[in-house]
Amino acid sequence: MHYYLFVLAVLAPAPAIAIVVLAVRLRAAVRQGGARALAARTLAAWRGGTGRPVWPGLAAVAVTTGLLTAGVERWFLAEVTDGLPSGFDVVLLSTMLGLLAALVCATLTGLAAAAVARARGFGAGTVAGLLALAAVAAGTACAHLPLRATYLAEPDIFPAIVVIGTGRLFGPFEVFLAALAWALPWPVLGAALAARAGTPGRRRAIRDTWQLMVDLAVADLPGHRSAWGTALRAELAAIDPPAERRRFALGGVWAVLRSGQPRGAWIMAAGTAVVVGGGVFAASRWSLAHDRGGVLGFWTAAPTVLLLAITLTTAWRHRSFGSGLRVGALAGLTAMAAVLAVSIPEAVVWANAQAGYLSTGDAVPPTWQAAVLDVLRPEFLTAMTVFWTTGAVGGAALGTALSRRPADTTALTG
């Protein structure tokens, strides 16, 4: 049952919010001017989302993604052809890296949509973000599909390995392409969180990249720090030399990220460490007593749901997406420390009891050192990072959406 809740927590929040945002937008447009106004605003959004410098950037994204895909595939084939290292699952790691790459793409396209929306409105930002995802998919497909066709035509010239869940050599890259579908809502959310009220399709003057960087960094500060953000923008506007503007903007963004922790963040992080550490210990001992296998499922599922709840609550209380993410990042670091602090001695207990590896319980480690190293396997750490990050980001987005008051709806949907 908890796996269904886990999947629901990871996959459901972002699409649900994006659908609500789009529905409210479309309803408002139809009410204001009917179908004709909706068509005009859609056309304006398309023009704003594809105008310069967006479309040259889209071409660069497609080319860069294609080159990266070709290079990663060559590395992957070289690794599996030379033989898999003992105790290292390069296929699982590659699959997790594929999911992580999709998560990074979701974040970057959300930021791109936010940047365009800040200058040209929600519609243009959404179009630009979705087209950026399409460019990523196109670049990846152009590099991957020819190699896949060769593999299907002449499988004997490729190494014979089985990818978890797919049985195909290039499963990690197909996982990445499939996971891009999960990234679709994030351009909508990025555009909605960054768009200024009353800017449907109308362009805003953006002086340079440094202004845009500071503007986005302070756009979602909590209420008690919004005045400081306004002062930061005003001070940057008074600086003219490009080098000074760059230094001030970078310093200001770093100050926002470093000093933006809400009150009680460390208390929540400490509580997270206690809950996660106690949960790992209980799951380990219960699994050991009932011969239920390892605790890899608990490592990925339970902290994900907990981080989603923490970031949702924080973002809702402070009405700030950034606050939720900051608390989630801090709680995630303490959760990882707790997992390792409890799992390492528990792995030794499992090894001494001849019960197998703590992670999966599928084989008996030859030494206690091997049992400890199994806990620190990069593929397991990457899997935890991917799922935990997904839950934290989804919770922050959901909490921000739920915190919007009637007077603030233009900030999200206006």
Side-chain angles (χ1 to χ4, degrees):
M1 182 64 181
H2 70 282
Y3 286 105
Y4 294 105
L5 294 176
F6 167 63
V7 172
L8 184 64
V10 170
L11 299 180
I17 302 170
I19 290 171
V20 171
V21 169
L22 289 175
V24 172
R25 283 267 181 180
L26 293 174
R27 181 183 179 188
V30 172
R31 280 188 169 184
Q32 290 176 5
R36 183 175 300 178
L38 178 61
R41 294 179 67 172
T42 302
L43 181 60
W46 177 262
R47 290 174 176 172
T50 56
R52 280 183 172 274
V54 176
W55 68 261
L58 295 176
V61 167
V63 172
T64 302
T65 304
L67 294 175
L68 283 175
T69 302
V72 171
E73 286 185 334
R74 286 183 177 274
W75 165 83
F76 178 74
L77 287 175
E79 289 294 321
V80 298
T81 301
D82 293 340
L84 303 180
S86 177
F88 180 77
D89 192 340
V90 69
V91 177
L92 177 60
L93 176 61
S94 300
T95 303
M96 290 298 104
L97 289 177
L99 293 175
L100 182 61
L103 181 62
V104 171
C105 287
T107 303
L108 294 180
T109 53
L111 289 174
V116 176
R118 202 70 181 167
R120 303 177 183 179
F122 169 80
T126 300
V127 169
L130 293 176
L131 288 178
L133 270 182
V136 170
T140 303
C142 287
H144 172 67
L145 292 181
L147 188 61
R148 174 177 167 77
T150 304
Y151 170 64
L152 294 177
E154 300 179 87
D156 294 338
I157 66 175
F158 291 88
I161 63 171
V162 176
V163 176
I164 294 176
T166 63
R168 295 185 179 276
L169 174 64
F170 294 107
F173 303 95
E174 293 161 14
V175 165
F176 169 72
L177 285 171
L180 284 179
W182 173 86
L184 284 174
W186 290 100
V188 179
L189 299 178
L193 290 170
R196 303 184 186 190
T199 60
R202 188 165 71 244
R203 295 176 181 243
R204 292 276 184 171
I206 298 294
R207 181 172 174 179
D208 54 19
T209 303
W210 311 117
Q211 176 199 338
L212 181 61
M213 182 184 298
V214 172
D215 207 14
L216 289 174
V218 304
D220 199 40
L221 286 174
H224 67 283
R225 296 183 62 82
S226 59
W228 174 68
T230 302
L232 197 66
R233 288 198 300 264
E235 190 170 351
L236 177 65
I239 299 175
D240 291 323
E244 292 184 23
R245 287 180 62 82
R246 181 183 69 252
R247 286 194 295 269
F248 181 84
L250 293 175
V253 171
W254 173 245
V256 171
L257 297 175
R258 180 170 48 86
S259 61
Q261 290 288 358
R263 296 174 183 175
W266 283 102
I267 296 176
M268 284 187 284
T272 301
V274 172
V275 172
V276 171
V280 171
F281 180 81
S284 170
R285 293 306 171 94
W286 183 88
S287 183
L288 184 62
H290 294 82
D291 194 21
R292 295 287 185 175
V295 297
L296 180 59
F298 184 90
W299 284 347
T300 55
T304 300
V305 177
L306 180 59
L307 289 174
L308 182 141
I310 290 173
T311 56
L312 188 155
T313 302
T314 303
W316 174 77
R317 186 175 61 184
H318 294 278
R319 302 172 62 220
S320 169
F321 180 78
S323 295
L325 280 188
R326 293 182 185 98
V327 172
L330 184 61
L333 290 175
T334 58
M336 182 64 75
V339 166
L340 296 180
V342 175
S343 297
I344 288 174
E346 284 299 296
V348 176
V349 171
W350 277 56
N352 292 335
Q354 298 291 302
Y357 288 101
L358 175 67
S359 57
T360 57
D362 56 350
V364 177
T367 63
W368 68 266
Q369 292 91 338
V372 171
L373 291 176
D374 181 71
V375 174
L376 302 175
R377 287 169 63 174
E379 56 267 41
F380 293 157
L381 299 178
T382 303
M384 286 187 278
T385 301
V386 169
F387 289 115
W388 294 8
T389 303
T390 303
V393 174
L398 184 58
T400 305
L402 294 176
S403 70
R404 301 296 181 178
R405 299 172 183 172
D408 300 322
T409 52
T410 53
L412 183 63
T413 60

